[in-house]
Structure formats: C-alpha cells, structure tokens
Amino acid sequence: MSTQVHANLTEEQVKQISEGLDEPEWLLETRLDALDALEGLEMPDVIRTPGRNWTNLYDLDFAGFVDPLNAAEEKDQVGPEEVEVMSIAEALDEREELVREGFGSVVDPEENYLTALSTALFSTGTVVYVPEGVDAEDVTVRTRMNSQSLFNYTLVVTEKSSSVTILERQTTGDEVDGERYYSGLVEIDAGENSNVQYGSLQNVDEETYTYTLKRGHADSHATINWIEGNVGSRLTKSSVETHLQGEGSESQIVGAFFGHNDQHFDVAARVWHEAEHTTADLVTRGVLDDDARSVYEGVQDVGSDAWDTSSYQRENTLMLSDESEADASPKLIINNHDTEASHSATVGQVDQQDLFYMTSRGVSPRMARNMLVEGFFVPVLEEIAVEEFRDDLSDLVAERLRE
C-alpha cells in the first residue's frame, strides 16, 4: 500500500525549520532528502497476529494534525556538570562533528515514512554526550507539547568506560483544537564498556497519536538498559530496540503500559545478538480496561556469530473488562546452537479466585481489583533501578485506578 504524502509539506517549510536552528548545509540536505523520499516509503511494519492486522497507520490523518511551522513546547534539559546535555541547536553550534557522526548512524532517516517525516520536520531535540570515564546520573529531559504536532530527536553518545542515566518524559500542555501528533526518534551509540540507562515515560493526552522509535548500538562490554512506560495517547506505536554488536554487550528492555477508554497500544521490544557472549532480558507488563486494545511483539534474534548467547523474554497482559482486547507475538530466532534462551507471553483477566479471597475478607470488589493490578506491575517495577522513574510510574498507575 502506498502512502499519501501530505500535500502541504513543502521544501520551503523544511528550509524554514532548518534556518531557525541555524543548521549546517549537510543537515538541511538530509532533511530535504527525507522529504523527497516520503512518496516512495511505506509506513513502519505493524504487528500482525494470525488473521488480524491490529494497527492501520494508513488511516492517520496527517492533513489534520501535522502543522510543522507552528511547533510549540516547553522543554527542560538538565544534567550534572560532567556530562554535556545540549539542545539540538546548541549541539550543532558547539559539537557539530559529534552530531554529524551520530545523526542517522543508528536509525536510518529513510527507514520508513514516519522516520523520514520526523527527519524532515524535527524542530526540537537533545544531545547527550558523556566523555570517557565519566559516571553521570540524573540527566532529565521533560517535553511538554503545546502545539498540534511536535517532532523530537534525541542522540546519546557515551565514550569508553562511561555511564549515564537519562529520564525523558513527554506530556501535553496547552489545549489545541482537534487531534495531535507526537513523533520521537532516539539514537544511542554506547561506546566500549559504557553503561546507558534510558527511561521514557509517555503521558500525553488522549487526543494525541504517538510514534516513537528508540534504538541503540552497544559496543564491546557495553550495556544499554531501556525503561519504556506508556500511559497516555490515543494510539501508541512504539518500538524499543538494541543491536548487541560488541562482545559481551548486554541489554534489558523493561516495558509497562496501562490503557483505558479506546486507547490503542502497538508496542515492540527487539534485540539482535550480533556478537559473542551477549545477554538480553525483555520484560513487559500491560493492563487494559474499557475498550482499550494492545498488541505486543518481542523479538530475540540470535545471529550465526553470536556464540554463548543468553536471551530471555516475558510478556504479560491483564484485561480488566470483557470489551478490552490484547494479543502478543513473542519471536525467538536462533541461528547459533550455543544459545540459552526462552520466551513466553500471556493474556488473561483478573484471577477470580484471588478476587474472591480478598472480597471474602472484607475488601471491597473495587479495592481488591486495584490491589491486584498494582501487584501485577510489581515484577516490572522491581526491574526499574531508577527510583524516580519507579515512583512516577507507580503514581500514574494509582491515578489511573482512581479514575
């Protein structure tokens, strides 16, 4: 199926965005190439289960909610002194070579229609650079979207034997008429023996459609740990991915989502084992209420050169209503016999025996259900090493249960 390019997207718009950021010529050319490529690109792959395509991105109404020249936001970008946390404009001014080497090195700008659209139109972003040997915590990026559409870009580069913890939050602020669109691309280049913990908590309003692609390359003995929380949005299309390219590299992907009303979640966690002695652990838990829907895909791909691989995956979805729908598609692809791996996925409703046990001891049915839901998320929360992120996610779950 071909993609309909929004007729109002023009080279002049792209040039205005680029001029506003005082960009070098190479980045403007990258944007224009991405714009030119739109007509021939397909939407990103969606998750399919037997007999059903869960998400139809071709129905996205770009004519209604993409407004590239009127992007507005409030953004906080803070971090400790030893690490460089820069807006994209600052990074292009002070670290152009770093941006030039990193931009598009992990996520192909023309990988699909939505990555190309984001490349052509992004107007905000953050670059985090961690020098060799530096240990940095508490890098925080808060983005409050105040416009019809917002295209965000994040680049993280860690040098040898460094470490960083990054938390990004996305929310919506000022009200706008009609639907919105938020797009975020994240690239992480983790150098040898470095450690990156990257957490993202999405809580935009339910008139907003979101597309995010987060991908990292891990060098030898590097670690990339992701935490992915999705609570807001009408339709969430999210993929978190790691390429374990260096010997002894590791990755953990911890995901959680909680949908209600008619929210739709299309979430994926994917790892490619491309070198020896690599390890991955994928853990996702989701809860659905009302008419909410979700589909999950987990991929562990073990390459032929990935000797002595360890790879594990668990996904569980809990449905609180008869009208909610969920499916999961865990995939284990093994091309090397020296592999220890497992994968599992479950979809089910609240255990009636647990509910009966609690209500028979004087707990109200609603309170009992809420306690079981909070307990359901505990295995995911226990995997989150960052206390601030764990508390924020717990608070959002509790808030959703009180509604």
Side-chain angles (χ1 to χ4, degrees):
M1 184 181 294
S2 62
T3 306
Q4 187 69 39
V5 179
H6 183 8
N8 293 329
L9 296 179
T10 67
E11 282 193 10
E12 285 308 311
Q13 290 174 328
V14 172
K15 289 177 179 175
Q16 283 190 49
I17 295 170
S18 179
E19 185 177 346
L21 293 172
D22 194 22
E23 289 180 353
E25 189 66 22
W26 66 265
L27 187 49
L28 173 59
E29 292 300 322
T30 303
R31 288 179 181 273
L32 293 175
D33 288 345
L35 182 70
D36 287 342
L38 283 177
E39 193 169 2
L41 293 173
E42 300 290 336
M43 285 290 179
D45 291 338
V46 297
I47 302 168
R48 296 180 172 85
T49 57
R52 183 167 181 178
N53 291 335
W54 284 75
T55 309
N56 183 3
L57 296 174
Y58 290 90
D59 278 351
L60 286 174
D61 179 20
F62 286 98
F65 51 51
V66 173
D67 187 12
L69 294 184
N70 291 298
E73 58 159 351
E74 296 172 51
K75 188 183 285 289
D76 295 322
Q77 296 159 304
V78 297
E81 291 183 357
E82 58 267 30
V83 61
E84 296 182 39
V85 182
M86 301 166 278
S87 70
I88 186 67
E90 291 170 339
L92 288 168
D93 183 46
E94 301 171 12
R95 286 278 189 178
E96 181 186 340
E97 197 56 35
L98 176 79
V99 179
R100 185 167 188 165
E101 289 181 5
F103 191 92
S105 64
V106 178
V107 176
D108 181 354
E110 299 176 20
E111 180 166 315
N112 59 54
Y113 180 88
L114 295 183
T115 61
L117 190 72
S118 216
T119 300
L121 301 181
F122 79 91
S123 60
T124 183
T126 305
V127 175
V128 179
Y129 173 67
V130 188
E132 181 175 342
V134 167
D135 293 329
E137 296 184 354
D138 299 329
V139 174
T140 302
V141 181
R142 298 183 182 88
T143 302
R144 177 174 290 184
M145 177 179 174
N146 290 328
S147 52
Q148 200 92 42
S149 59
L150 191 68
F151 296 85
N152 193 25
Y153 172 73
T154 302
L155 171 65
V156 179
V157 179
T158 56
E159 299 290 0
K160 182 178 179 180
S161 301
S162 63
S163 177
V164 66
T165 299
I166 302 166
L167 297 183
E168 279 213 67
R169 297 177 179 82
Q170 299 90 32
T171 58
T172 40
D174 296 345
E175 292 187 3
V176 300
D177 293 331
E179 298 166 329
R180 305 187 195 220
Y181 179 62
Y182 173 86
S183 174
L185 300 183
V186 177
E187 299 186 277
I188 295 179
D189 182 2
E192 181 183 345
N193 197 40
S194 66
N195 184 303
V196 180
Q197 290 196 71
Y198 175 92
S200 174
L201 188 53
Q202 178 269 112
N203 189 29
V204 299
D205 70 27
E206 292 171 32
E207 293 301 311
T208 304
Y209 296 80
T210 64
Y211 171 69
T212 59
L213 173 58
K214 305 178 177 77
R215 184 179 295 158
H217 286 176
D219 203 343
S220 298
H221 304 290
T223 299
I224 301 177
N225 291 336
W226 306 89
I227 310 165
E228 175 78 354
N230 286 293
V231 179
S233 170
R234 172 173 293 183
L235 183 151
T236 297
K237 170 67 177 168
S238 168
S239 186
V240 180
E241 306 174 353
T242 307
H243 287 255
L244 297 170
Q245 298 180 331
E247 180 181 353
S249 53
E250 301 179 9
S251 185
Q252 182 184 52
I253 301 175
V254 177
F257 60 87
F258 192 163
H260 71 161
N261 296 333
D262 63 346
Q263 288 183 285
H264 181 105
F265 296 90
D266 183 312
V267 296
R270 303 182 175 105
V271 172
W272 285 265
H273 296 265
E274 300 173 6
E276 298 179 2
H277 314 302
T278 54
T279 302
D281 189 18
L282 283 57
V283 185
T284 299
R285 290 213 162 189
V287 171
L288 300 174
D289 201 356
D290 304 323
D291 296 311
R293 300 168 303 281
S294 75
V295 61
Y296 163 88
E297 182 182 74
V299 175
Q300 304 149 270
D301 189 311
V302 181
S304 58
D305 296 327
W307 299 92
D308 188 26
T309 292
S310 298
S311 193
Y312 309 98
Q313 178 186 174
R314 293 95 71 199
E315 197 278 339
N316 307 95
T317 304
L318 182 65
M319 295 184 294
L320 303 181
S321 73
D322 292 336
E323 292 73 30
S324 58
E325 293 183 282
D327 209 332
S329 178
K331 296 176 181 175
L332 185 54
I333 304 165
I334 298 179
N335 296 298
N336 188 303
H337 62 78
D338 188 15
T339 297
E340 183 177 301
S342 66
H343 68 303
S344 64
T346 64
V347 174
Q349 296 185 321
V350 173
D351 189 289
Q352 291 303 307
Q353 286 191 342
D354 290 343
L355 204 58
F356 175 76
Y357 177 84
M358 297 175 71
T359 54
S360 68
R361 279 152 179 79
V363 181
S364 71
R366 180 60 182 254
M367 177 69 74
R369 190 201 71 161
N370 291 354
M371 292 171 68
L372 289 170
V373 170
E374 291 184 295
F376 177 77
F377 277 115
V378 166
V380 166
L381 295 171
E382 288 179 341
E383 298 289 343
I384 300 174
V386 183
E387 183 178 358
E388 182 181 349
F389 192 104
R390 191 168 59 243
D391 291 346
D392 285 352
L393 184 58
S394 295
D395 290 346
L396 286 174
V397 169
E399 183 179 326
R400 176 62 54 86
L401 289 170
R402 287 196 299 270
E403 292 176 357

